[in-house]
Amino acid sequence: MQLFNWRSTVYAGWFHPLLLLIWFIIGLSLRLANLTGKPPWTDEFATLVFSLGNNFLQVPLDQAIAPNILLQPLQPNPAASIGDVIHTIITQDNHPPLYFVLAHLWMKLFPHPEGLISLFGARSLPALLGAASIPFAYILGRLAFRSRLVGQMAAAMMAVSPYGIFIAQEARHYTLAILWVMASLACLVIAIRHLQNHTQLPITVAISWLGINALGIATHYFFTLTLCAEALVLILLPWYHQTQAKVKINSPHLPISYSPLWWRIYAVAVGTGVAGLVWLPSFLQNPYRSSMTDWIQVSRVGLDWVNPIFQALAAWITMISLLPVEAPQLTIVIFSGLVMLIFFIWATPILVSGFKLQLQQPENSLMTQVLAGVVLGAIALFFIFTYILGIDITRGARYNFVYFPTVIILLGASLAVCYQNQDIGKWGITGKKAVTLIWLMGLISAITVTSNLGYRKYYRPDLLVPLIEQNSQVPVLIATTHKSLVQTGEMMGIAWKLKFSGSQVISQFLLAHQAKDPKTSTKALENTLKSLPRPLDLWLVNFHAPVAEEVKKCIADTQALPGIYGYDYKIYHCP
């Protein structure tokens, strides 16, 4: 018997690290797959430019400029320092600077193709941070449920989550924020364990929790939504368990909220509040804040009121499954949608059953409630912002990073129950087979994202540039109305593709600035056209202003050309 126990210990000692390594390798491979195959878009260009210590102000407005001039902010600046990065972010962007500083240091390690920043270098950092969330999921799952199986299930699903792949393949700060979310949740779990045991939260944990929260806020301001959800859980938990104790003798008893055992948690909350208030002046005084958040400040009429519900639902679904519903072929789209519908009709009862069983287990009930409370609290905050404050943050699927790791841990807990069950559902399928099918659906979904058939890039210059090549045999002017760095990034995507595709198109760009009066853009286009030699093809791309008189002298192209995702265009031939 002793020999058997020794062998079991040795087996467990190497099996779980090896299995976790397999999940990590799979997850890292998926996040690095086709990493530079998808075109960079506006938000990524903001990361690239600001991380270099450069800015968008050096791009000339209201005049024709060559692609190299438009791409100049993407040229590495050896003289730029970390201080330059921080100053630029605080004065010209609406995000905190921590990730940009890390990216500034990271991208120094990569060569500069064509004298510009390396796209692989920029995207590899979030990809690696995204892969790091896999062992973090194992640790958090095991910590919360005291189960290696829950940890392994959470790590396995984190490795293939299509939402996780999408976040990790963008040169943005969301994967770093996800790690801070998971670390903060781990501290929350530890704190609640100590409250259960009526012991004081160790000072090292309290200081770590405060530091993690401060770093999370310094990475993304929406990290505060995670903190608010945690706070709601802590506020409601003592009251909830006092009511439960009346009907459940074995219900875990928590000390009342004014007990000295809460004081260090309160200190963490106060310190976190101070760490957040540090950023408030720079956020409120940023002159570019409103222009870069216009897209989520919406007014609703009629059916627009239900859009946030469907947008949120889509984000929840893609945390588990996403087949090629954005493929160009309608047949594939319909088939993918049907398969996903059938999958969720089959899988949802299984997952809900596993969740309910975790709630019924005395040793896991409290943590299941805590994590579910964090998810529900965050979702509630999303809808408060959307419907009450008029800021529709459900439009950006990436913002769901604030509770995405919590969903994965709860999913792992549910799958762990399923895995140990011999008979699942009406089809007599075993729990292990059900878990395998759910994981395989995640793997196929992850490949869908890496292939740009799900969570497509918001702009497709890779489709627009070939169209320009096919329809313009003379020099072209690509003109757009300009309000902020968003429009600069839209044109950068086209210039980037022209440069790295080896295109022979002779092109110039016009960023016609538009403050309030649309006619200012019209005047800029008029003056620019008068100064350029003919023949010339004018491509109005996302141009939202009255057509200039000079344009009316050109011949509008009447071909039935395909629509391009992210680019609304019109062609004029000026002989």
Side-chain angles (χ1 to χ4, degrees):
M1 180 62 70
Q2 291 180 349
L3 179 61
F4 176 78
N5 290 338
W6 177 82
R7 287 179 176 175
S8 299
T9 302
V10 172
Y11 176 75
W14 64 261
F15 174 76
H16 285 284
L18 178 61
L19 186 58
L20 184 59
L21 178 62
I22 292 172
W23 303 138
F24 178 79
I25 292 173
I26 292 173
L28 179 61
S29 300
L30 289 169
R31 285 157 177 78
L32 293 177
N34 196 32
L35 192 59
T36 59
K38 292 175 278 188
W41 68 291
T42 293
D43 283 17
E44 290 186 290
F45 281 122
T47 303
L48 303 182
V49 171
F50 292 140
S51 297
L52 289 172
N54 297 334
N55 59 68
F56 289 85
L57 301 179
Q58 63 196 85
V59 178
L61 304 178
D62 297 334
Q63 60 181 281
I65 57 175
N68 287 340
I69 302 298
L70 178 57
L71 295 174
Q72 193 171 3
L74 298 172
Q75 296 177 2
N77 181 6
S81 65
I82 291 176
D84 295 324
V85 175
I86 295 174
H87 178 265
T88 304
I89 288 294
I90 290 176
T91 58
Q92 297 183 32
D93 194 34
N94 57 350
H95 294 99
L98 178 58
Y99 177 81
F100 297 87
V101 171
L102 295 178
H104 174 79
L105 300 173
W106 174 261
M107 289 187 291
K108 287 180 178 291
L109 305 176
F110 295 86
H112 308 134
E114 302 290 337
L116 301 178
I117 192 172
S118 166
L119 182 60
F120 178 83
R123 285 179 173 170
S124 60
L125 177 59
L128 290 172
L129 294 172
S133 67
I134 298 168
F136 269 63
Y138 172 81
I139 294 170
L140 182 55
R142 182 177 177 182
L143 177 67
F145 290 90
R146 295 170 175 169
S147 167
R148 288 179 172 178
L149 180 59
V150 172
Q152 292 289 358
M153 293 295 169
M157 294 310 299
M158 180 66 82
V160 299
S161 168
Y163 179 86
I165 304 296
F166 154 65
I167 290 294
Q169 289 202 314
E170 294 214 327
R172 297 295 282 163
H173 37 202
Y174 300 107
T175 50
L176 178 60
I178 282 173
L179 295 182
W180 298 132
V181 169
M182 298 175 81
S184 184
L185 286 172
C187 293
L188 174 67
V189 168
I190 293 171
I192 291 176
R193 293 286 189 210
H194 280 279
L195 289 175
Q196 274 187 282
N197 297 328
H198 288 255
T199 56
Q200 188 69 262
L201 180 69
I203 188 67
T204 53
V205 176
I207 294 174
S208 299
W209 197 359
L210 172 57
I212 289 164
N213 293 346
L215 291 171
I217 297 171
T219 302
H220 200 291
Y221 293 133
F222 279 1
F223 179 80
T224 56
L225 296 179
T226 299
L227 300 180
C228 289
E230 291 181 359
L232 286 171
V233 168
L234 287 169
I235 290 170
L236 296 176
L237 210 56
W239 169 82
Y240 176 76
H241 279 280
Q242 284 176 7
T243 59
Q244 288 294 300
K246 297 177 182 179
V247 294
K248 293 183 180 180
I249 298 177
N250 294 325
S251 177
H253 175 64
L254 297 178
I256 53 181
S257 57
Y258 52 82
S259 165
L261 296 177
W262 284 83
W263 290 355
R264 286 182 179 174
I265 296 177
Y266 293 149
V268 172
V270 172
T272 300
V274 173
L277 290 174
V278 168
W279 300 104
L280 191 60
S282 62
F283 176 75
L284 294 178
Q285 296 170 13
N286 191 319
Y288 299 92
R289 176 169 55 90
S290 60
S291 64
M292 289 187 287
T293 57
D294 284 344
W295 67 282
I296 57 174
Q297 298 177 17
V298 296
S299 57
R300 294 186 178 82
V301 179
L303 293 177
D304 291 342
W305 284 95
V306 300
N307 286 343
I309 297 173
F310 289 102
Q311 288 162 180
L313 184 62
W316 303 338
I317 288 172
T318 58
M319 293 181 184
I320 303 174
S321 169
L322 178 60
L323 295 182
V325 292
E326 294 181 289
Q329 296 82 11
L330 181 60
T331 304
I332 295 178
V333 172
I334 295 174
F335 178 76
S336 299
L338 286 174
V339 172
M340 287 180 64
L341 179 62
I342 294 170
F343 169 76
F344 276 101
I345 291 174
W346 167 76
T348 299
I350 295 174
L351 298 176
V352 170
S353 175
F355 177 79
K356 289 180 177 178
L357 287 173
Q358 289 287 12
L359 281 175
Q360 294 170 6
Q361 296 179 10
E363 66 275 16
N364 293 331
S365 176
L366 178 61
M367 283 307 159
T368 306
Q369 295 168 27
V370 166
L371 295 178
V374 170
V375 173
L376 294 176
I379 292 173
L381 290 170
F382 268 60
F383 285 115
I384 289 172
F385 268 81
T386 298
Y387 284 110
I388 298 178
L389 301 180
I391 303 173
D392 189 1
I393 55 179
T394 66
R395 294 189 69 186
R398 53 194 180 276
Y399 297 143
N400 292 282
F401 78 86
V402 301
Y403 61 90
F404 163 64
T406 322
V407 172
I408 292 297
I409 302 306
L410 287 172
L411 179 61
S414 178
L415 290 176
V417 173
C418 174
Y419 188 82
Q420 295 172 321
N421 200 326
Q422 293 301 314
D423 189 15
I424 296 292
K426 301 177 181 178
W427 294 274
I429 188 173
T430 65
K432 293 181 180 179
K433 289 181 179 179
V435 170
T436 301
L437 289 174
I438 292 171
W439 186 84
L440 286 175
M441 173 60 86
L443 178 61
I444 296 170
S445 301
I447 295 172
T448 296
V449 176
T450 62
S451 304
N452 208 22
L453 296 175
Y455 273 125
R456 290 189 306 181
K457 291 299 179 186
Y458 299 100
Y459 300 92
R460 296 297 303 271
D462 54 321
L463 300 180
L464 182 61
V465 167
L467 207 61
I468 295 174
E469 293 173 333
Q470 294 167 14
N471 291 275
S472 292
Q473 281 70 49
V474 297
V476 301
L477 174 66
I478 302 171
T480 190
T481 46
H482 175 274
K483 290 186 177 181
S484 69
L485 62 83
V486 173
Q487 291 74 41
T488 307
E490 291 172 0
M491 296 302 103
M492 277 183 165
I494 301 172
W496 179 281
K497 185 61 182 178
L498 285 168
K499 187 176 184 67
F500 285 96
S501 67
S503 175
Q504 300 302 310
V505 173
I506 300 173
S507 60
Q508 294 188 84
F509 289 83
L510 170 66
L511 302 174
H513 189 62
Q514 185 182 106
K516 294 182 179 179
D517 185 3
K519 292 182 180 179
T520 57
S521 298
T522 304
K523 187 65 176 177
L525 177 59
E526 181 96 19
N527 294 335
T528 302
L529 282 175
K530 288 179 179 179
S531 67
L532 294 177
R534 311 296 174 92
L536 175 75
D537 278 358
L538 171 64
W539 287 69
L540 297 182
V541 180
N542 297 344
F543 194 89
H544 306 295
V547 176
E549 288 298 322
E550 194 69 19
V551 175
K552 295 179 181 178
K553 298 177 183 179
C554 302
I555 303 170
D557 195 310
T558 58
Q559 297 181 75
L561 297 174
I564 303 296
Y565 201 52
Y567 292 110
D568 181 23
Y569 64 93
K570 294 180 181 178
I571 313 169
Y572 294 87
H573 302 286
C574 305

